[in-house]
Amino acid sequence: MDEFALIERYFRRPDQPPGDGVVLGPGDDAALLLPPAGDELVMTLDTSLGGHHFPDDLPAADVGHRCLAVNLSDLYAMGARPLWFLLSVTLPQADEAWLAGFAQGLFDLADRAGIALVGGDVTRGPLSVSIQATGAVTPGRALRRSGARAGQRLAIGGVPGQGGLGLRHWQAGERASVSARHLARPAFPLDLGAALVGRAGAAIDVSDGLLQDLGHILKASGGLGAELDLATLPVNEELAALDEADRYPLQLTGGDDYCLLFTWPDARPLPPGTSDIGMITEKGPILLRYPDGRTEPARPGGWRHF
Ligand code: ADP
Ligand code: MG
């Protein structure tokens, strides 16, 4: 099957409505798009390499879902409404069963999120998927990392530690656990980002570990600190079953969580499904509050020894 037949079969969807603002989708030299009047465009790009960003043996449908999910996570963390995406797939060979699965996982999520594929590229080589996604936000309303202030509550949507535990399960051949399913198909509340617009202080999607991504908020907001209450971190049943010495490193530094970490400036209730996990303080370092009440500074690596 040549490149054009492959694009036609798996990535063009003539039976689907084209998507908001799509004047011309896949098939010409480039796409034509009409931005929502007066909005700011929000753009992000993530590349996922097989064997590096996802397991080599991840089923194709999961690869399709996951590669789009990591981009949507960034759009939502900015408070953006998803609009369009471009897809670049590099494949060792034109494996039709793999492509069919990939397209199915990809479009399942795309349709749920209301984002339209408007073009892309297909090349031969080691398995790699790049997606560039575009969303829109009302001018001035995007959720930035720099919006945290001392005294704000720290809150999270999603379960930190799930991605790291999922990877451990996957590598041990345990593919059906809640955490392994999250690694394969990162799930996050699709409407949370929009619910935070105009209300949250700062926001970031947690993809590189909670402490590191919290650090990005604190730095971008002018060198603040935070107190993190370990007992309040949301868990799934598998994380809950681990002892603390095993669980904390996963919760604090595991990757691939795709949680939404944000600060909350006032006493209004948090959005449904999110948890209060601490507060923003004047000065660093980040303090970890243990269930027995003692606090310890979160030195990189240092807490591992507890
Ligand atoms: P060109 O050589 O002009 O770059 P391509 O052969 O790469 O053209 O692509 C032809 C058309 O197919 C373009 O409109 C492009 O956006 C679309 N396309 C290519 N790959 C994909 C893909 N993976 N998903 C969706 N559209 C694609
Ligand atoms: Mg091309």
Side-chain angles (χ1 to χ4, degrees):
M1 172 179 279
D2 73 20
E3 178 194 339
F4 304 105
L6 183 157
I7 294 166
E8 192 62 35
R9 168 149 335 157
Y10 296 107
F11 298 115
R12 282 198 64 191
R13 304 167 86 203
D15 305 337
Q16 290 293 117
D20 281 353
V22 181
V23 180
L24 187 63
D28 210 307
D29 294 321
L32 295 174
L33 305 165
L34 191 64
D39 277 354
E40 287 173 353
L41 293 180
V42 183
M43 297 200 180
T44 183
L45 168 71
D46 270 294
T47 297
S48 304
L49 299 177
H52 184 63
H53 295 99
F54 57 85
D56 265 328
D57 54 351
L58 191 67
D62 292 340
V63 176
H65 176 108
R66 194 189 146 79
C67 294
L68 181 58
V70 303
N71 280 274
L72 287 174
S73 177
D74 283 317
L75 284 188
Y76 288 124
M78 296 300 290
R81 194 158 37 84
L83 290 171
W84 316 303
F85 69 105
L86 295 164
L87 165 70
S88 175
V89 189
T90 303
L91 274 180
Q93 67 268 327
D95 175 338
E96 293 206 46
W98 192 92
L99 279 161
F102 175 84
Q104 187 217 319
L106 180 83
F107 288 125
D108 276 355
L109 179 59
D111 292 347
R112 272 197 287 135
I115 192 166
L117 177 61
V118 296
D121 201 20
V122 178
T123 51
R124 188 185 291 266
L127 179 58
S128 159
V129 179
S130 293
I131 289 181
Q132 185 281 322
T134 299
V137 69
T138 303
R141 303 308 283 290
L143 304 169
R144 302 183 187 209
R145 298 178 177 189
S146 55
R149 301 290 175 265
Q152 291 179 347
R153 304 303 309 171
L154 185 63
I156 199 163
V159 177
Q162 209 168 207
L165 184 58
L167 183 60
R168 185 193 289 179
H169 286 173
W170 191 275
Q171 287 168 343
E174 159 75 64
R175 308 271 154 106
S177 72
V178 172
S179 303
R181 291 315 306 151
H182 178 81
L183 178 78
R185 294 199 173 212
F188 43 85
L190 293 180
D191 47 4
L192 179 56
L196 298 182
V197 170
R199 304 181 69 188
I204 190 170
D205 80 313
V206 178
S207 52
D208 295 328
L210 180 56
L211 282 182
Q212 182 164 320
D213 288 319
L214 171 57
H216 291 316
I217 286 187
L218 300 177
K219 184 164 179 229
S221 299
L224 301 174
E227 199 176 295
L228 197 58
D229 189 351
L230 296 176
T232 61
L233 292 176
V235 288
N236 65 27
E237 68 213 35
E238 295 152 4
L239 283 161
L242 300 178
D243 63 34
E244 290 173 357
D246 196 12
R247 189 171 75 234
Y248 293 150
L250 289 168
Q251 292 175 305
L252 296 173
T253 65
D256 295 318
D257 287 327
Y258 304 104
C259 297
L260 204 51
L261 179 68
F262 59 97
T263 69
W264 198 247
D266 50 43
R268 284 189 285 184
L270 291 170
T274 65
S275 308
D276 184 331
I277 60 168
M279 72 180 293
I280 302 294
T281 57
E282 295 283 349
K283 275 213 253 4
I286 298 171
L287 287 181
L288 303 179
R289 178 176 297 280
Y290 286 81
D292 64 7
R294 94 199 129 95
T295 58
E296 303 269 358
R299 291 179 304 275
W303 49 269
R304 279 177 191 277
H305 305 297
F306 290 114

